[in-house]
Amino acid sequence: MNSSAIMAIFSALALGHSLFLAGHLWASVKKRPSSFFLALLLTALAVRILKSVLVILIPESPDIIPAVGLVGLMTIGPSLWFYIKSFKNVEYKATRLHLWHYVPALILIVLIPFFNEQQMFVAYCISVAHMFLYITRSADFVMRAFRNYGRTERKWLSLLLAAIFLIWTTFFAQLLIESFITYLSVTIVASITIYGLSLWAGKKTRLFTEPRRIYTEKASQEVLQVGNQIEHLLTQERIYTDSKLTVKTISERLSKPEYVVSQSVNAYFKQSFPELLNYYRIKHASSLIESNTYENLSIEGIAYESGYNSISAFYRAFKNLKGVTPAQFKKT
């Protein structure tokens, strides 16, 4: 048995391992929303690994195999993004709007049978760029919310992002060097990465179990009370203008555990903490732009006054919530 066949078998085992983990996570979808997207991410990786394994074992494989690999590749990015967003938000729900992010993959399923070799290459280039876009978006989200995660959570998300980026580099390498070695590198890197993540995360079961929820009537009243207190701090004291504001800051201010503050934000406002901050900060920024008192204040100045220490983060949040840039909003 040659080395290529051995690597293909090893990768096939990694593929089965991915599907096993995905199946385990599917069973806990109702308990933890992020499990759905992590299972989808693992399934997409498994599909992409399957393509490389079959190409190695069956050099004259039919065109449908690379096509399936492209669909898996196009699914990895959105699944990673939604997993990152739902990671600490127990109220996060998968809606029909999420499907729009998977439309490119669905389009590929329909059109790929009609693609020639050149069109397949173009589709592969688009898929690699598509995945990179979601990786950078996910990394940016984690960086902005980094202080809101615990030590283990930070390490897990950092390892996951690094692993997916490493896998992406092998896909990118295939654009530059189309050879058997690059196909083999995809299976090797993806397989080792998945096994490595599994070994590390297997000892941190708390990352994949249901967060502590509040069931008693007394505790539910506490959530309502803490939610009211947080709302007061946001609306009356405008604590969102503090660029260093975190869940820990509020928990210390209210003398409440961090998990109570986090649960109260999710249950009371129906938003994650970063989403809540962006909402109030952009609302405040909009009022400053509309006010004649601050008409001489620059866009950058408005960003800092609203609690942002990054202009790019301010522009991105403003565009997401208002649909226009701060400059366009000011003109209107």
Side-chain angles (χ1 to χ4, degrees), residues 117-138:
E117 187 174 345
Q118 184 178 1
Q119 290 169 330
M120 284 286 287
F121 179 74
V122 172
Y124 183 77
C125 292
I126 293 173
S127 299
V128 171
H130 179 267
M131 181 178 172
F132 182 74
L133 174 66
Y134 279 96
I135 291 174
T136 53
R137 194 175 183 184
S138 301

Side-chain angles (χ1 to χ4, degrees), residues 82-98:
F82 291 128
Y83 173 69
I84 295 293
K85 287 195 69 177
S86 62
F87 179 63
K88 283 198 70 173
N89 188 355
V90 294
E91 303 297 330
Y92 197 89
K93 302 292 183 184
T95 66
R96 291 181 180 178
L97 291 176
H98 289 78

Side-chain angles (χ1 to χ4, degrees), residues 280-304:
Y280 274 94
R281 284 172 175 171
I282 298 305
K283 182 179 179 181
H284 181 68
S286 301
S287 66
L288 293 182
I289 293 174
E290 292 175 327
S291 173
N292 294 328
T293 306
Y294 298 92
E295 61 182 354
N296 294 324
L297 193 63
S298 67
I299 296 297
E300 289 76 11
I302 288 173
Y304 291 125

Side-chain angles (χ1 to χ4, degrees), residues 35-97:
S35 295
F36 171 80
F37 296 109
L38 183 56
L40 201 57
L41 174 61
L42 288 169
T43 302
L45 285 169
V47 169
R48 184 59 186 79
I49 295 172
L50 175 64
K51 177 257 185 183
S52 296
V53 171
L54 291 178
V55 167
I56 293 171
L57 292 178
I58 313 171
E60 300 300 325
S61 56
D63 293 339
I64 189 63
I65 292 177
V68 170
L70 272 180
V71 174
L73 181 58
M74 192 69 85
T75 307
I76 293 172
S79 302
L80 173 66
W81 166 240
F82 291 128
Y83 173 69
I84 295 293
K85 287 195 69 177
S86 62
F87 179 63
K88 283 198 70 173
N89 188 355
V90 294
E91 303 297 330
Y92 197 89
K93 302 292 183 184
T95 66
R96 291 181 180 178
L97 291 176

